[in-house]
Amino acid sequence: MGQPRIRIEGLSVAYQQGQPILHNINLDIAKGEIISLIGASGCGKSTLLNVIAGLLAAHSGRVLLDGKPIDGPAADRVMVFQDDAVFPWMRVRANVEYGLRIKGLGAAEMARRVDEVLDLVELKAWQNAYPKELSGGMRKRVDLARAIAVDPQVLLMDEPFGALDAMTKERLQVEYLNICERIGITSVFVTHDLEEAIFLGDRVVVLGRNPGHIASVLDVEFAHPRDIAIKRTAAFQFQRGRLNSLIR
């Protein structure tokens, strides 16, 4: 096995008062792998994402990206949150261009990249719309498009579909998997939804709490591509039962 894209070694994080949030987290994540991260509220899921993003420093241990320590935020790691992060005063195309302008891309290269990403998330027909004219699911696709436009190596998802209705959530789950597979990106996906965790993840990492630690890891036994209908199968529900038992 080659070098992992992300290696987490002995990672511990504590509040300023010294109370631990995460303790001795060790995890290798392969290039192109999707890790679902699940656990009870307060176990440190978002904290772990923030450390990988470089937004929060470890108290001990380290996180490596392609063998190099992460010591701050960078464009090779992007995060998508539950709340919309689109700029309401910008049209869809301008939202997707935003990160590319910061990177200093030339006009022709930026136009090519934006067209490519809008096609990928199926928003080309809505490129001149304002966010207020879009559904919640479409705004989330704008968030995703803006994140992947800068060509990151790691996509960090912090309960991005948590506020959506069930049908929209399932549609976006399928689209997310298709996008990850097409661009070969590595992703860590935080969720409270057991079915979402299994459907999206190559592995499901269960965090325990007090302090946050890796309680168990579930290997997901379904090949790609995955169809949403797999959720209705006995094999899927068996894995859901296993995951529920691991969490309990």
Side-chain angles (χ1 to χ4, degrees):
M1 182 177 177
Q3 176 177 273
R5 172 119 293 175
I6 299 171
R7 169 162 283 168
I8 304 172
E9 297 180 338
L11 177 69
S12 295
V13 179
Y15 293 109
Q16 288 185 346
Q17 300 86 347
Q19 181 182 354
I21 307 171
L22 295 172
H23 177 68
N24 196 32
I25 303 291
N26 293 279
L27 183 67
D28 282 354
I29 303 174
K31 182 179 180 180
E33 185 177 19
I34 299 174
I35 292 291
S36 292
L37 191 60
I38 199 162
S41 295
C43 68
K45 300 184 297 296
S46 294
T47 298
L48 182 54
L49 275 195
N50 284 328
V51 175
I52 298 171
L55 300 172
L56 186 65
H59 285 77
S60 62
R62 60 181 185 167
V63 181
L64 306 175
L65 177 64
D66 293 330
K68 299 177 181 178
I70 290 173
D71 58 7
D76 53 16
R77 287 153 282 128
V78 294
M79 193 178 295
V80 176
F81 301 92
Q82 179 174 325
D83 294 335
D84 290 338
V86 295
F87 298 130
W89 61 89
M90 289 184 181
R91 299 179 191 270
V92 168
R93 189 176 187 91
N95 264 284
V96 179
E97 288 175 346
Y98 182 77
L100 299 175
R101 291 187 184 279
I102 292 175
K103 288 184 72 174
L105 255 66
E109 177 62 15
M110 182 164 61
R112 183 201 65 77
R113 180 60 179 163
V114 172
D115 285 341
E116 180 179 82
V117 172
L118 288 174
D119 281 336
L120 190 62
V121 300
E122 300 181 358
L123 282 175
K124 192 72 172 290
W126 295 89
Q127 63 180 319
N128 293 317
Y130 286 101
K132 67 181 180 182
E133 300 172 298
L134 306 179
S135 67
M138 292 172 77
R139 288 195 300 274
K140 191 53 60 182
R141 282 152 63 189
V142 176
D143 273 346
L144 186 56
R146 193 168 64 181
I148 63 177
V150 296
D151 198 24
Q153 295 173 331
V154 177
L155 184 58
L156 304 170
M157 307 288 278
D158 196 357
E159 298 187 68
F161 307 150
L164 302 174
D165 65 85
M167 289 183 63
T168 301
K169 177 189 281 193
E170 288 199 331
R171 185 165 62 249
L172 283 174
Q173 288 168 357
V174 173
E175 291 179 5
Y176 166 79
L177 278 185
N178 290 338
I179 289 168
C180 287
E181 185 172 348
R182 285 179 64 180
I183 65 178
I185 199 166
T186 304
S187 184
V188 182
F189 195 109
V190 168
T191 180
H192 281 101
D193 184 329
L194 301 189
E195 291 194 354
E196 181 170 71
I198 296 167
F199 181 72
L200 296 180
D202 297 302
R203 288 183 292 160
V204 180
V205 174
V206 180
L207 288 189
R209 58 180 177 179
N210 299 323
H213 61 280
I214 294 181
S216 54
V217 178
L218 176 70
D219 293 320
V220 178
E221 301 165 355
F222 303 114
H224 292 277
R226 294 175 185 170
D227 187 273
I228 206 70
I230 200 172
K231 290 187 180 183
R232 324 311 177 211
T233 65
F236 188 94
Q237 291 305 317
F238 176 76
Q239 287 230 325
R240 188 188 188 283
R242 286 181 61 199
L243 183 57
N244 190 51
S245 296
L246 291 172
I247 291 174
R248 289 179 180 276

